[in-house]
Amino acid sequence: MNTKHISLEKIKISDPFWNDVQELVRREVIPYQYEALHDRVDGAEKSYCIENFIKAGKVAAAIRNGEEVPVYPADKWQYTDDNCDKNAFHGWVFQDSDAYKWLEAVGYSLINHPDSELERKAKEVVSIICAAQLENGYLDTLYIINNRDEIFTNLRDFHELYCFGHLVEGAVSFYHGTGDRRLLDAACRFADLICDTFGEGKIRGYGGHEIAELALVKLYEETGEKRYLDTAAFFVNERGRRPYYFDVERGANSAGEAHHYNQAHRPVRQQSEAVGHAVRGVYLYSGMADVARHTNDNELYKSCLNIWENIENRKLYITGGIGATVDGEAFSFDYDLPNDLAYSETCAAIGLIFFARRMAEFAPLSNFGNVAERALYNTVLAGMSEDGKSFFYVNPLEVNPLASHCDSRKRHVKPVRQKWFACACCPPNLARLISSVGEYAFGESDSTFFVHQYIGAEVKSRVGKIKIQSDYAANGDVTITADSAVNLALRIPDWCGSYTVSAPHTVRDGYAYIEGATEVSVHFENAAKLVKCSNRVRANIGKAAVTKGPFVYCAESVDNGENLQMLVLDSNTKFAQDGEFLIADGWHETPQNSLYSDFSPADKTPCKIKLHPYYRWGNRGENEMQVYLRIME
Amino acid sequence: MNTKHISLEKIKISDPFWNDVQELVRREVIPYQYEALHDRVDGAEKSYCIENFIKAGKVAAAIRNGEEVPVYPADKWQYTDDNCDKNAFHGWVFQDSDAYKWLEAVGYSLINHPDSELERKAKEVVSIICAAQLENGYLDTLYIINNRDEIFTNLRDFHELYCFGHLVEGAVSFYHGTGDRRLLDAACRFADLICDTFGEGKIRGYGGHEIAELALVKLYEETGEKRYLDTAAFFVNERGRRPYYFDVERGANSAGEAHHYNQAHRPVRQQSEAVGHAVRGVYLYSGMADVARHTNDNELYKSCLNIWENIENRKLYITGGIGATVDGEAFSFDYDLPNDLAYSETCAAIGLIFFARRMAEFAPLSNFGNVAERALYNTVLAGMSEDGKSFFYVNPLEVNPLASHCDSRKRHVKPVRQKWFACACCPPNLARLISSVGEYAFGESDSTFFVHQYIGAEVKSRVGKIKIQSDYAANGDVTITADSAVNLALRIPDWCGSYTVSAPHTVRDGYAYIEGATEVSVHFENAAKLVKCSNRVRANIGKAAVTKGPFVYCAESVDNGENLQMLVLDSNTKFAQDGEFLIADGWHETPQNSLYSDFSPADKTPCKIKLHPYYRWGNRGENEMQVYLRIME
């Protein structure tokens, strides 16, 4: 059964938990990022983002005027004052995407919360962007500024199709938020150029960093232009075929299965394992699921499902994080989920939520919502500080600040959130996801309204007006009312041992289906509990984590003293709530000073272990943190 | 109390355990390495070692004849056909040392076991080396072949003083093994040049890879030439002073404490923590202890002792390995002893044994012998396969072959020994240590014969002729007889719970001191037992290792099935011996297929756990290995 998410204009969030998070993004993150794009944040590394669009606009004008335009090298990932001409492109090859992601977040935010001043600023940015577009529709400032002759010659590394994808996502959101078509028209013109350039009998290439696939489907959905869907399908189907395009474009000839990093090592229909750069992976898989749904391609869906199951059952942190290794920011091998070396990039968890929604749209199994929930309430929210001013790129499950400072193997694992990143992909990605969270919460088929995530809101569904009142995050209580009898499908969260539904229902694929209801109350029992990880995961043997509802908890040394590894949970613990903390029973081992000694049970004294929601960790300065604690059976 | 080790000519090893190991080195390793030095091993990367000496000999002759000599760059760590002229130096900057280490092993071996054919081959090698020496005494083939003008201009990186150190060690051993003075004379000429070049009022430099310090002391002990000791002391005392010499030689100005990698970040007397490249570290600390002993420098000794205690109490694997991180092959921070990411280079464990002997010579505390024993019976012996034909460079305490193949973070962790290494430091280092193990076993003061390691031997000590009959490795039994009444000091091993000494004795600093004995029998109770690691070491929490006598044991999957992490030791286990294996009681957990589930004690079935001496692991093909196993209290 196909379902569809509900667009943001039809959703008004009013949720005690999510309102605050969205407000933080609206009040702090979006304005901060606006300043960052304009290089006006003291102490932050320069973005050059708007500056590049302005430079590109001058080049575009010069070309229109038939003037001579200089050429600079387009051969690096990052361009700085030290390595390039001051008139050339600056920043990372994917720098344009920051503006698009910001505009996407702004579009969503304006739908949720009109703000004329923000709209004015965003329109200015759009003007600057539109002025940079070449007459043929091309729009990527690196090549416009530096070298027009090299456009589309390094698809593997240089992110033109990636920036295009974010342009589309930003344009669609900006149009919905403002009614201003300019950026959408620009996106369509670039999309038209791409459709003219790539395909059968044309360039048989595809992007090194996927996203164009899902973006072209979104543009197809927005415009009805079939060639956008066709080109998305081409990108999906061409990927990984031999000869490898990434070899062809550089005259190479890779032996064996090269190109894992870009998921281009074999045709996607023959892929069943999540490999390579994790963000790229989930963006591709999202595009594959989109194409599968629009073309009723069950074979392609089956590949998506195989990959999904590989992630869900073997490559997923309890926090919803994916991409276990820093090397290539990539998926590691099955069951390799180290806590202290974790990469678990914020953007990868966001991309997993994209993938989950598309999978649920193809066929609503509760697995998709369950995993999206893990990612959303834990890794994604952990990505942002409580004041909205600093961010995690990497989301470890165990941190020893000493190791982060002394051990180069863990240099990526930061013990506190950072103000901004040279490669600033995560903060704007967070802003756009949180601002559009409603699109991931609800769905509809011809006859049924789906609740994938329990976020309080009023929704104008095509099956009726529906109101969700939710205390889900706090106590698992949700009431759904409709203005007329509707069919409902409510995800039963996987963490929930028992639940009550106030109306007759049948359970299928993890959803409670209710026919013709006007009011339904549900309660998901959300007592704190101990969770274990499969013993195939070496890092978690003999340990347990604590969860309550959708939240994973962790211990921090600010609450429990140093040497968190000396804490032992009592498997018979009761849990007490203390504000946002959970208090568990356990022991604290006495430190052993002798490095090696004859075995004897550790001296330990009973203690209370104070646990903090994972997404809240690291807000009180540098300190140790552990999600998994040793447990005494 | 100063003591001195006993030179090899006075020791005849006859030990059921060590005879076999020495024979393996004599029959397999030394001949194999001879072929490797000559680039005659099929499939092994070329060494170029002898080839370089031949090239350098031609240059030296040309210089003597006043001929024009070409110049090549001396600017890389490794020189190959791809990056240099075919007539230039080839291989690594430290390639000369391989020949010296081989000659050192040969010298020891010839003392232990005369062999005229081996002696003939070694003398040929010595002839080739001596022909390469310049008239001023300089002898390093990289600079002789490539550029005489750049001699001693990059002490930090380019290993001239390192190769010199190995030349001295090889020369002294070769002289003792053959009576042939040629290489010793060459070493003295090079030493004279070094003494003329470095010191107060001369170049204030020192080697980037330490060893010249201990080598100069050895040459002083061999020749009585005081300036060699003085220059060793200069190298030791100058190290780490500001301005940093490694900055001076390249016109740099490092802020803060640079040069940790080379232990040159501060004066050695202000160092109390083992840092940087582990092999370099222990070579330096050995030289420091040597200088301290010969100059009665208690302040310097105190630094050595502080560093020793830092290693012994915070940076030592149970296997005697040191240098926990691959990054810089270096000591990590205190208590950071990961099992699966371990570096624990074979050469570092060997260097630790060098350091331990020198510390015991300054003052015999049993700690030194205890730690040396750990290293010797575990990491060092593990370095070589049971057929003497393959070697470990890295000695992990936990291996999952899948991780070694798939996870770039563990690429250094090999699941089986390798035939030879491009950087072939460990195999010849093993050969020289094992061939000279007697020099690490015994010591003497004016009045007392010391047994640091219980290796069966006949020893001509200055206090009398002493015979050690040892079944120490097998059952902890040792009998010591002397041709006349002697004073004995016998190390009481730290693993031993109870022991008996057949003669009246007093215990001091971990040694049993016996006066005027002609026969003493000792028994060290060596039952298999469980050992725990301090709970400050995060990797080993909730786990235990098994030891028996000096040996650490490990589980291998060839004996116990895959997923060794699912094994749990019973803390009340009895142990049974089965040939070389120990059999312990425990459980095997049933694999849990669900990645996350509500906590419940793992399903497990009682099983026998088969344990193999660590030094024997990896001789039966690729398989999982774990030293530490989870334990149920």
Side-chain angles (χ1 to χ4, degrees):
Chain A
M1 172 174 50
N2 272 202
T3 71
K4 191 76 191 80
H5 73 273
I6 294 172
S7 68
L8 224 53
E9 297 96 320
K10 297 180 179 162
I11 301 170
K12 183 163 179 48
I13 302 284
S14 73
D15 183 281
F17 184 85
W18 285 98
N19 275 12
D20 288 353
V21 181
Q22 289 197 330
E23 272 299 283
L24 202 57
V25 167
R26 191 179 73 82
R27 288 175 188 272
E28 296 294 339
V29 184
I30 290 175
Y32 182 91
Q33 290 179 357
Y34 177 77
E35 297 302 308
L37 293 175
H38 288 82
D39 300 325
R40 292 192 294 244
V41 176
D42 278 348
E45 199 165 325
K46 284 185 77 173
S47 151
Y48 304 106
C49 180
I50 297 298
E51 189 178 308
N52 285 329
F53 280 108
I54 292 169
K55 285 179 183 172
K58 290 177 183 163
V59 172
I63 292 172
R64 279 194 302 275
N65 297 336
E67 294 165 18
E68 183 111 345
V69 178
V71 170
Y72 306 102
D75 56 357
K76 287 176 282 292
W77 268 51
Q78 192 181 14
Y79 300 79
T80 66
D81 282 336
D82 291 338
N83 71 14
C84 70
D85 190 282
K86 70 176 168 33
N87 296 311
F89 174 91
H90 272 55
W92 295 85
V93 289
F94 44 77
Q95 208 75 56
D96 290 1
S97 65
D98 283 358
Y100 302 143
K101 281 192 262 188
W102 181 77
L103 285 167
E104 188 182 343
V106 168
Y108 300 140
S109 182
L110 292 175
I111 295 170
N112 300 334
H113 194 289
D115 176 335
S116 59
E117 176 59 15
L118 178 60
E119 185 166 343
R120 186 191 62 72
K121 286 177 174 172
K123 284 181 172 172
E124 266 181 32
V125 170
V126 166
S127 298
I128 292 167
I129 292 169
C130 288
Q133 188 166 36
L134 298 186
E135 296 221 320
N136 69 353
Y138 185 81
L139 182 43
D140 185 280
T141 68
L142 167 62
Y143 285 99
I144 293 173
I145 300 168
N146 281 19
N147 194 344
R148 284 64 51 196
D149 288 343
E150 292 189 359
I151 283 170
F152 296 140
T153 59
N154 187 351
L155 296 186
R156 190 187 69 181
D157 301 331
F158 281 3
H159 287 68
E160 291 156 288
L161 291 175
Y162 172 81
C163 290
F164 160 72
H166 277 298
L167 164 62
V168 169
E169 295 221 88
V172 172
S173 171
F174 182 75
Y175 170 60
H176 284 256
T178 63
D180 181 336
R181 284 196 65 94
R182 290 177 299 147
L183 198 63
L184 185 60
D185 289 341
C188 288
R189 282 197 299 276
F190 196 8
D192 291 338
L193 174 67
I194 285 167
C195 293
D196 289 344
T197 306
F198 298 95
E200 303 286 344
K202 297 176 263 185
I203 296 179
R204 302 189 69 92
Y206 36 84
H209 194 315
E210 303 93 324
I211 191 175
E213 301 78 3
L214 72 85
L216 282 164
V217 174
K218 184 176 270 192
L219 202 58
Y220 161 68
E221 291 172 346
E222 186 66 34
T223 63
E225 184 63 62
K226 176 77 167 30
R227 62 197 307 229
Y228 300 155
L229 175 62
D230 294 343
T231 302
F234 172 79
F235 283 152
V236 163
N237 288 314
E238 190 62 21
R239 191 168 205 89
R241 286 204 178 144
R242 291 176 186 247
Y244 296 127
Y245 182 75
F246 296 150
D247 284 352
V248 171
E249 72 174 0
R250 51 186 47 72
N253 187 11
S254 297
E257 290 214 334
H259 310 302
H260 274 81
Y261 174 79
N262 310 84
Q263 297 82 34
H265 54 298
R266 67 175 82 162
V268 298
R269 287 159 201 276
Q270 295 167 28
Q271 296 190 27
S272 56
E273 184 180 355
V275 300
H277 187 274
V279 175
R280 295 173 197 236
V282 284
Y283 283 13
L284 168 65
Y285 311 145
S286 298
M288 285 164 62
D290 275 339
V291 169
R293 178 167 48 89
H294 279 293
T295 60
N296 293 310
D297 186 336
N298 277 302
E299 185 192 63
L300 187 58
Y301 170 73
K302 191 64 178 56
S303 282
C304 293
L305 193 61
N306 287 341
I307 291 167
W308 175 274
E309 287 174 349
N310 178 251
I311 295 173
E312 180 181 0
N313 299 323
R314 300 179 179 211
K315 299 191 173 183
L316 181 72
Y317 282 105
I318 191 172
T319 52
I322 53 171
T325 175
V326 61
D327 191 32
E329 305 178 308
F331 289 104
S332 190
F333 58 96
D334 286 352
Y335 302 112
D336 185 43
L337 294 166
N339 296 306
D340 57 344
L341 290 168
Y343 200 71
S344 183
E345 184 180 338
T346 307
C347 285
I350 290 169
L352 182 60
I353 294 169
F354 298 164
F355 184 25
R357 186 184 85 188
R358 271 101 176 154
M359 290 302 283
E361 286 177 342
F362 197 102
L365 317 179
S366 67
N367 307 43
F368 308 127
N370 288 332
V371 168
E373 181 178 83
R374 260 189 211 286
L376 190 58
Y377 283 85
N378 298 288
T379 301
V380 170
L381 287 180
M384 185 167 66
S385 65
E386 63 185 15
D387 64 3
K389 290 179 176 170
S390 60
F391 305 90
F392 279 132
Y393 192 110
V394 164
N395 295 280
L397 282 78
E398 178 172 333
V399 169
N400 173 9
L402 189 64
S404 294
H405 296 307
C406 299
D407 183 352
S408 55
R409 295 166 300 187
K410 294 180 183 162
R411 208 158 280 156
H412 61 289
V413 177
K414 304 297 181 198
V416 286
R417 290 172 185 80
Q418 309 291 298
K419 222 174 142 61
W420 193 253
F421 300 92
C423 170
C425 55
C426 297
N429 230 348
L430 264 171
R432 70 185 183 124
L433 179 81
I434 289 170
S435 303
S436 63
V437 72
E439 291 198 347
Y440 299 87
F442 312 114
E444 58 192 2
S445 68
D446 290 341
S447 60
T448 305
F449 181 78
F450 283 81
V451 182
H452 303 306
Q453 305 299 339
Y454 293 92
I455 296 178
E458 289 173 38
V459 185
K460 289 180 193 143
S461 154
R462 67 186 187 218
V463 302
K465 276 195 191 168
I466 292 163
K467 181 170 185 181
I468 299 99
Q469 286 174 286
S470 174
D471 272 321
Y472 182 80
N475 59 26
D477 286 330
V478 183
T479 300
I480 296 155
T481 49
D483 61 353
S484 60
V486 294
N487 298 336
L488 296 171
L490 310 178
R491 180 178 60 90
I492 302 163
D494 57 354
W495 46 259
C496 147
S498 69
Y499 60 93
T500 55
V501 180
S502 68
H505 62 281
T506 55
V507 174
R508 198 166 67 245
D509 297 332
Y511 281 79
Y513 283 85
I514 301 144
E515 290 190 15
T518 53
E519 177 164 341
V520 178
S521 292
V522 292
H523 174 69
F524 300 113
E525 193 265 300
N526 76 337
K529 63 176 182 175
L530 297 168
V531 173
K532 70 178 174 183
C533 183
S534 165
N535 53 9
R536 295 184 189 278
V537 177
R538 287 167 199 252
N540 296 334
I541 283 271
K543 300 177 186 168
V546 173
T547 66
K548 181 172 188 293
F551 298 105
V552 174
Y553 281 70
C554 65
E556 291 186 88
S557 57
V558 67
D559 300 312
N560 297 283
E562 291 191 350
N563 285 309
L564 293 178
Q565 81 276 13
M566 295 182 195
L567 294 178
V568 185
L569 275 169
D570 181 347
S571 63
N572 296 310
T573 182
K574 308 283 180 223
F575 291 97
Q577 190 88 37
D578 176 10
E580 63 181 332
F581 295 94
L582 282 176
I583 312 296
D585 300 318
W587 296 271
H588 193 286
E589 289 189 358
T590 307
Q592 293 163 221
N593 289 324
S594 177
L595 191 54
Y596 300 109
S597 52
D598 287 1
F599 180 80
S600 62
D603 284 335
K604 51 184 184 286
T605 47
C607 73
K608 295 292 181 185
I609 300 176
K610 198 166 173 180
L611 300 162
H612 205 192
Y614 175 77
Y615 83 92
R616 298 272 295 151
W617 89 271
N619 277 300
R620 293 169 292 169
E622 275 196 15
N623 83 145
E624 290 177 39
M625 183 276 289
Q626 266 183 235
V627 167
Y628 286 94
L629 296 172
R630 201 145 42 98
I631 190 159
M632 182 74 68
E633 289 178 7
Chain B
M1 171 174 51
N2 271 202
T3 70
K4 190 76 190 84
H5 73 272
I6 294 173
S7 68
L8 223 52
E9 297 96 318
K10 297 180 180 162
I11 301 169
K12 184 163 176 51
I13 302 285
S14 73
D15 183 281
F17 184 85
W18 285 98
N19 276 12
D20 288 353
V21 181
Q22 288 197 329
E23 273 297 282
L24 202 57
V25 168
R26 192 179 71 82
R27 288 175 187 271
E28 296 292 339
V29 184
I30 290 175
Y32 181 91
Q33 291 179 355
Y34 178 76
E35 296 302 308
L37 294 175
H38 288 81
D39 301 324
R40 292 192 293 245
V41 175
D42 278 348
E45 200 165 325
K46 284 185 78 174
S47 150
Y48 304 105
C49 180
I50 297 298
E51 189 179 307
N52 285 330
F53 281 109
I54 292 170
K55 285 178 183 172
K58 289 179 183 164
V59 171
I63 292 172
R64 280 195 302 276
N65 297 336
E67 294 165 20
E68 183 108 347
V69 177
V71 170
Y72 306 103
D75 58 356
K76 287 177 280 293
W77 269 51
Q78 192 182 15
Y79 300 78
T80 66
D81 282 335
D82 291 339
N83 70 14
C84 71
D85 189 283
K86 71 178 169 31
N87 296 312
F89 175 90
H90 273 55
W92 294 85
V93 289
F94 44 76
Q95 208 75 57
D96 291 1
S97 65
D98 283 358
Y100 302 142
K101 281 192 261 187
W102 181 77
L103 284 167
E104 186 182 346
V106 168
Y108 300 140
S109 183
L110 291 175
I111 296 171
N112 299 335
H113 194 289
D115 177 336
S116 60
E117 176 58 16
L118 177 61
E119 184 167 344
R120 186 190 62 73
K121 286 178 175 172
K123 285 182 171 172
E124 265 182 31
V125 169
V126 167
S127 299
I128 292 168
I129 292 169
C130 289
Q133 189 165 35
L134 298 186
E135 295 218 322
N136 69 353
Y138 185 81
L139 183 42
D140 184 281
T141 68
L142 168 61
Y143 285 99
I144 294 174
I145 299 168
N146 281 18
N147 193 344
R148 283 65 51 197
D149 288 343
E150 292 188 359
I151 283 170
F152 296 139
T153 59
N154 188 350
L155 296 186
R156 190 187 69 180
D157 301 332
F158 281 2
H159 287 68
E160 290 156 289
L161 292 175
Y162 172 81
C163 290
F164 160 72
H166 277 297
L167 164 62
V168 169
E169 294 221 87
V172 171
S173 171
F174 182 74
Y175 170 60
H176 284 256
T178 63
D180 180 336
R181 284 195 64 93
R182 291 178 297 148
L183 198 62
L184 186 60
D185 290 340
C188 288
R189 283 198 299 276
F190 195 9
D192 291 338
L193 174 68
I194 285 168
C195 293
D196 290 343
T197 305
F198 297 96
E200 303 287 344
K202 297 176 263 185
I203 296 180
R204 301 189 70 92
Y206 36 84
H209 193 315
E210 303 92 324
I211 192 175
E213 300 79 3
L214 72 87
L216 282 163
V217 174
K218 184 176 271 191
L219 202 58
Y220 161 68
E221 292 171 347
E222 185 67 33
T223 63
E225 183 64 62
K226 175 81 167 28
R227 63 198 307 231
Y228 299 155
L229 176 61
D230 295 341
T231 303
F234 172 80
F235 283 151
V236 164
N237 289 315
E238 190 62 21
R239 192 168 206 88
R241 287 205 179 143
R242 291 174 187 251
Y244 295 127
Y245 182 75
F246 297 148
D247 284 352
V248 171
E249 71 174 359
R250 49 187 49 72
N253 186 12
S254 295
E257 290 214 333
H259 310 302
H260 274 80
Y261 175 79
N262 309 86
Q263 296 81 35
H265 54 298
R266 66 175 81 162
V268 298
R269 286 160 203 276
Q270 294 167 27
Q271 295 190 29
S272 57
E273 183 180 355
V275 300
H277 187 272
V279 175
R280 295 173 195 235
V282 283
Y283 283 13
L284 168 66
Y285 310 145
S286 298
M288 286 164 62
D290 275 339
V291 169
R293 179 166 48 88
H294 279 292
T295 60
N296 293 312
D297 186 334
N298 278 303
E299 185 190 63
L300 188 58
Y301 170 73
K302 191 65 176 58
S303 282
C304 293
L305 193 61
N306 287 341
I307 292 167
W308 175 274
E309 287 174 350
N310 178 251
I311 295 174
E312 180 181 1
N313 299 324
R314 300 178 180 212
K315 298 192 175 183
L316 181 72
Y317 282 105
I318 191 172
T319 52
I322 53 171
T325 174
V326 61
D327 191 32
E329 305 177 308
F331 289 105
S332 190
F333 58 95
D334 285 352
Y335 303 112
D336 185 43
L337 295 166
N339 296 307
D340 57 343
L341 289 167
Y343 200 69
S344 182
E345 185 180 337
T346 306
C347 286
I350 290 169
L352 182 60
I353 293 169
F354 298 165
F355 184 26
R357 186 184 84 188
R358 273 112 176 143
M359 290 301 284
E361 286 176 344
F362 196 102
L365 317 179
S366 67
N367 307 40
F368 308 126
N370 288 333
V371 168
E373 180 178 85
R374 258 189 214 288
L376 191 58
Y377 284 84
N378 298 289
T379 301
V380 170
L381 288 180
M384 185 167 64
S385 64
E386 63 185 15
D387 64 3
K389 291 179 176 167
S390 59
F391 305 90
F392 278 132
Y393 192 111
V394 164
N395 295 281
L397 281 79
E398 178 172 332
V399 169
N400 173 8
L402 189 63
S404 294
H405 296 306
C406 300
D407 183 353
S408 55
R409 294 165 301 185
K410 295 181 183 160
R411 206 159 282 154
H412 61 289
V413 177
K414 304 297 181 198
V416 287
R417 291 173 184 79
Q418 309 290 297
K419 222 174 143 60
W420 192 254
F421 300 93
C423 170
C425 55
C426 297
N429 230 348
L430 264 171
R432 71 185 183 124
L433 179 81
I434 288 170
S435 302
S436 63
V437 72
E439 292 198 348
Y440 300 86
F442 312 114
E444 57 193 3
S445 67
D446 291 341
S447 59
T448 305
F449 181 78
F450 285 80
V451 182
H452 304 305
Q453 305 299 338
Y454 292 91
I455 296 178
E458 289 173 38
V459 185
K460 290 180 193 143
S461 154
R462 66 185 189 223
V463 301
K465 274 195 194 168
I466 292 162
K467 181 170 183 180
I468 298 98
Q469 286 174 286
S470 174
D471 272 322
Y472 182 80
N475 59 26
D477 286 330
V478 184
T479 299
I480 296 155
T481 50
D483 59 355
S484 59
V486 295
N487 298 338
L488 296 171
L490 311 179
R491 180 177 60 90
I492 302 164
D494 57 354
W495 46 259
C496 145
S498 67
Y499 61 93
T500 56
V501 180
S502 67
H505 61 281
T506 54
V507 175
R508 197 165 69 245
D509 298 332
Y511 281 80
Y513 283 85
I514 301 144
E515 290 190 15
T518 53
E519 177 165 341
V520 179
S521 292
V522 293
H523 173 68
F524 301 112
E525 191 264 301
N526 76 337
K529 64 177 181 174
L530 296 168
V531 173
K532 68 178 174 183
C533 182
S534 165
N535 52 11
R536 295 184 190 278
V537 178
R538 287 165 199 253
N540 296 333
I541 283 270
K543 300 177 187 169
V546 173
T547 67
K548 181 172 187 294
F551 297 105
V552 174
Y553 282 70
C554 65
E556 290 185 89
S557 57
V558 66
D559 300 313
N560 297 284
E562 291 189 348
N563 286 307
L564 293 177
Q565 81 276 14
M566 296 183 195
L567 294 178
V568 185
L569 275 169
D570 182 347
S571 64
N572 297 310
T573 182
K574 308 285 181 224
F575 291 97
Q577 189 89 39
D578 176 10
E580 63 181 333
F581 296 92
L582 283 175
I583 311 296
D585 300 317
W587 296 271
H588 193 285
E589 290 188 358
T590 307
Q592 293 162 220
N593 288 323
S594 178
L595 191 54
Y596 300 109
S597 52
D598 287 2
F599 179 79
S600 61
D603 285 334
K604 51 184 184 286
T605 47
C607 71
K608 296 293 181 184
I609 299 176
K610 197 166 175 179
L611 300 161
H612 205 191
Y614 175 77
Y615 83 91
R616 298 273 295 151
W617 90 272
N619 277 299
R620 293 169 292 168
E622 276 195 15
N623 82 146
E624 291 177 37
M625 183 276 289
Q626 267 183 231
V627 167
Y628 287 94
L629 296 173
R630 200 145 43 97
I631 190 159
M632 182 74 67
E633 289 177 7

